[in-house]
Amino acid sequence: MPDNHDHTSSQDVLTVAGRSFNSRLIIGTGKYKTYAENAAALTASGADMVTVAVRRVNLDNPDEPMLVDFIDPKATTYLPNTAGCFTGEDAVRTLRLAREAGGWDLVKLEVLSDPKHLYPDMEETMRAAKLLIDDGFEVMVYCSDDPVFARKLEDLGCCAIMPLGAPIGSGLGIQNPVNIRLIVEQSTVPVIVDAGVGTASDAAIAMELGCDGVLMNTAIAEAKDPIRMARAMKHAVIAGREAYLAGRMPRKKYADPSSPLAGLI
């Protein structure tokens, strides 16, 4: 199975577009009660990358609370995203504005279709991805859990493939583990499950399938205790990664005693 990392090193890092991250968990910056709570959740999660909806988060109006006052972009990698964009043109325009505002060229592309299910419009996604890559952006791309489109996006030059686990904000967990595994097996760039995680076991499952990371927002922000959930997600991602690297035992149809029965007195 392809893997993007050298596990002989003492630290198993996530590498995206030549950038290394100690945590394989990426968290969002939406739906929190306050920016202060968001910052506290970030600390508890151990994440060193946050995704930022450029069209929804205040980055430059000093008359209102600003995210950058609570999460330092020099200490934490900002990943601008195109949440709320339904056309390729809107997505490209949004990320060009983000680059002008903050110099960000590592970005997360998402082009949505129907507001009811928020699945990606894959034709528009591919068109926007090509425009952005040609414009010098490093594109991490939100996509359907379709191995065919995932391969096409990697062939276009996307630096990370981000298939959904379930609809955005649903908390339903990994609905199609077979397709996620197929995407992992064929990809030579990082595969990061994006959307649908609801609790720690969902994050662990994503990592046990061989994914390189997990991105989540609602699962933490809408938990009764976001800080504690952020800490749970940190441990879940680590545990799932360790289990994947360890190699699980084979599934068996019948019991197999831990202590052999042969040779008993």
Side-chain angles (χ1 to χ4, degrees), residues 2 126 143 146-158 161 182-183 185-188:
M126 290 189 64
C143 60
D146 181 339
V148 177
F149 273 118
R151 171 59 62 81
K152 290 181 178 181
L153 288 165
E154 182 176 349
D155 290 345
L156 272 179
C158 293
I161 306 301
L182 289 171
I183 292 170
E185 288 179 354
Q186 75 182 14
S187 300
T188 60

Side-chain angles (χ1 to χ4, degrees), residues 42-54:
L42 173 63
T43 299
S45 74
D48 41 19
M49 185 191 305
V50 293
T51 184
V52 179
V54 178

Side-chain angles (χ1 to χ4, degrees), residues 110-254:
E110 57 182 80
V111 185
L112 305 175
S113 52
D114 190 313
K116 182 177 181 179
H117 54 63
L118 298 179
Y119 268 67
D121 181 328
M122 293 308 301
E123 290 181 351
E124 286 290 283
T125 296
M126 290 189 64
R127 190 165 66 85
K130 186 175 188 312
L131 289 170
L132 289 166
I133 291 166
D134 289 346
D135 201 17
F137 285 92
E138 299 281 2
V139 178
M140 301 171 66
V141 59
Y142 168 67
C143 60
S144 60
D145 56 356
D146 181 339
V148 177
F149 273 118
R151 171 59 62 81
K152 290 181 178 181
L153 288 165
E154 182 176 349
D155 290 345
L156 272 179
C158 293
C159 66
I161 306 301
M162 308 179 78
L164 57 85
I168 291 172
S170 68
L172 290 171
I174 309 299
Q175 294 296 295
N176 198 339
V178 173
N179 276 17
I180 298 294
R181 177 180 55 79
L182 289 171
I183 292 170
V184 168
E185 288 179 354
Q186 75 182 14
S187 300
T188 60
V189 297
V191 175
I192 299 171
V193 161
D194 178 6
V197 168
T199 190
S201 57
D202 300 329
I205 288 169
M207 299 305 294
E208 288 173 8
L209 287 169
C211 292
D212 296 278
V214 182
L215 188 154
M216 65 185 71
N217 183 70
T218 308
I220 297 175
E222 291 194 351
K224 292 182 180 178
D225 185 339
I227 312 307
R228 174 166 277 183
M229 184 61 81
R231 192 159 52 245
M233 293 299 187
K234 171 184 177 179
H235 294 301
V237 168
I238 292 170
R241 179 66 175 173
E242 287 290 291
Y244 169 71
L245 294 177
R248 66 156 290 145
M249 62 168 283
R251 290 180 169 90
K252 302 173 184 177
K253 293 178 67 176
Y254 304 103

